[in-house]
């Protein structure tokens, strides 16, 4: 069984990335609270190998629950399940541009400046980025190029 944790900066392309992983046969769950990872892993193990490739999308939308990620991942070892972390990133100016184009608010700055939310998110996510097995900078990637990076 393979667990892939997809995380990274808001606006870096996680939603698009998930679609590509679904296309290649991953069972994807978006915004699962990290504290539920052990229970979810238990359910996957009971599926009699019907769920072999799992991608969990976790990010700052989970609020303070996101901080439970590392203890939850440690619990996977108790089940004998390995995992990898894919971290999607992009340059700040690109993230700002993407938020403005979509007219979405940054999750950490619903009423403030997008730059402030990005800066806060970078601080919170730094420990996860440091432990990531794969880091993809999507700043200059087209959707097609991102798909190729994932396939590679």
């Amino acid at each position: 069984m393979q667990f892939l944790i997809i995380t990274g900066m808001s606006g870096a392309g996680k939603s698009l990335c998930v679609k590509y992983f679904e296309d290649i046969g991953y069972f994807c769950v978006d915004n699962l609270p990290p504290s539920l990872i052990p229970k979810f892993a238990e359910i996957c193990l009971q599926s009699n190998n019907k769920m072999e490739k799992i991608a969990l999308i976790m990010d700052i939308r989970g609020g303070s629950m996101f901080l439970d990620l590392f203890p939850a991942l440690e619990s996977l070892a108790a089940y004998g399940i390995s995992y990898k972390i894919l971290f999607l990133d992009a340059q700040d100016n690109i993230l700002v541009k993407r938020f403005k184009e979509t007219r979405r608010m940054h999750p950490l700055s619903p009423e403030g400046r997008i730059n402030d939310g990005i800066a806060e998110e970078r601080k919170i996510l730094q420990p996860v980025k440091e432990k990531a097995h794969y880091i993809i900078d999507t700043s200059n990637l087209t959707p097609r190029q991102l798909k190729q990076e994932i396939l590679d």
Side-chain angles (χ1 to χ4, degrees):
M1 182 175 302
Q2 301 173 13
F3 264 68
L4 176 66
I5 308 302
I6 301 171
T7 191
M9 295 298 294
S10 299
K14 292 184 300 292
S15 296
L16 188 57
C17 185
V18 168
K19 292 176 187 175
Y20 297 144
F21 276 99
E22 286 175 342
D23 289 348
I24 58 174
Y26 276 76
F27 181 84
C28 299
V29 179
D30 191 8
N31 211 14
L32 180 75
S35 61
L36 294 179
I37 290 175
K39 187 64 178 171
F40 183 71
E42 190 178 311
I43 291 167
C44 293
L45 286 170
Q46 294 171 357
S47 75
N48 296 323
N49 295 326
K50 291 178 185 166
M51 298 171 70
E52 293 182 8
K53 299 187 300 186
I54 295 113
L56 303 177
I57 301 80
M58 304 190 163
D59 55 40
I60 208 68
R61 291 174 295 161
S64 62
M65 291 187 295
F66 183 77
L67 302 176
D68 295 332
L69 179 61
F70 288 127
L73 291 176
E74 289 173 11
S75 71
L76 289 178
Y79 291 110
I81 299 172
S82 63
Y83 67 88
K84 301 276 187 201
I85 299 173
L86 167 61
F87 191 95
L88 297 178
D89 202 353
Q91 298 165 3
D92 288 1
N93 62 323
I94 300 294
L95 295 173
V96 169
K97 180 181 172 189
R98 290 176 183 171
F99 274 102
K100 286 182 178 179
E101 286 173 351
T102 61
R103 297 183 182 185
R104 290 180 48 229
M105 299 302 294
H106 188 281
L108 295 180
S109 61
E111 297 175 18
R113 294 174 13 125
I114 295 171
N115 286 337
D116 294 339
I118 291 170
E120 182 65 21
E121 185 176 24
R122 282 207 186 281
K123 280 192 265 180
I124 293 169
L125 293 180
Q126 187 58 37
V128 179
K129 186 176 183 181
E130 289 172 3
K131 297 221 184 252
H133 299 87
Y134 311 102
I135 299 172
I136 298 176
D137 185 331
T138 65
S139 299
N140 299 309
L141 296 180
T142 65
R144 185 179 196 147
Q145 290 170 324
L146 176 58
K147 183 176 185 176
Q148 191 58 51
E149 285 280 327
I150 289 167
L151 293 174
D152 290 346

